[in-house]
Amino acid sequence: MLREALFLVVLCLVAWIGFDALEGQRDEARRERDSAKWEASGLREAARISGEMLAERDAIDQRNTKELTDARTENERLRRAVDDGTRRLRIRATCPASGSLPTATGPGRVADAGTAELAPDARPDYHTLRDQHALSRQMILGLQQYVRGVCQRLPASQDTTFPNFNERTTP
């Protein structure tokens, strides 16, 4: 009988140790599950924010590309109008006052003939400058909008999801 009781006590002790080990494994599995849920939630939020940032970037790009296309179309329309003579390219200029002209030229003077105009060989340069100005303007505006709309929207707690995101690696 003592043997049976001792066997029963040992069996209960082994069962108790086994259940304790299983309980520890269960707790560890729960911690891992909770950690995975938290990480998945963080990744979903990061994906949502990334999607919004990409959509904002695409909207900025589309808007600025349209404005640039419109500016270039207008410039091309102006170029054709100047080339075919329906419009003139005028420049703002003033003629010097009569007292500032050298008197060595004599009494004969030419009256102001009208508004100053670009020479024909300078007109393509003018249109090229207009194109480059429109391109530069849209690039600068697009970058400013990108910084305001996308870069400054980065979440303040991004280091909790991506711990190495802010670290710079030097090559």
Side-chain angles (χ1 to χ4, degrees), residues 88-94 112 114-118:
R88 292 178 63 191
L89 253 178
R90 298 175 185 211
I91 57 173
R92 190 174 296 177
T94 57
D112 188 8
T115 58
E117 190 173 353
L118 279 178

Side-chain angles (χ1 to χ4, degrees), residues 107-149:
R109 290 188 25 192
V110 177
D112 188 8
T115 58
E117 190 173 353
L118 279 178
D121 61 337
R123 291 177 189 160
D125 293 337
Y126 171 78
H127 294 293
T128 301
L129 286 173
R130 279 182 57 103
D131 277 343
Q132 290 173 350
H133 176 264
L135 176 63
S136 297
R137 182 178 187 279
Q138 289 307 314
M139 288 171 68
I140 291 167
L141 288 175
L143 287 171
Q144 288 173 339
Q145 292 166 356
Y146 180 78
V147 166
R148 282 189 219 106

Side-chain angles (χ1 to χ4, degrees), residues 60-76 128-142:
I60 289 168
D61 184 51
Q62 189 176 30
R63 187 171 47 247
N64 286 308
T65 299
K66 182 188 179 319
E67 289 176 12
L68 177 60
T69 302
D70 292 346
R72 285 186 164 170
T73 302
E74 174 62 21
N75 193 36
E76 187 57 35
T128 301
L129 286 173
R130 279 182 57 103
D131 277 343
Q132 290 173 350
H133 176 264
L135 176 63
S136 297
R137 182 178 187 279
Q138 289 307 314
M139 288 171 68
I140 291 167
L141 288 175

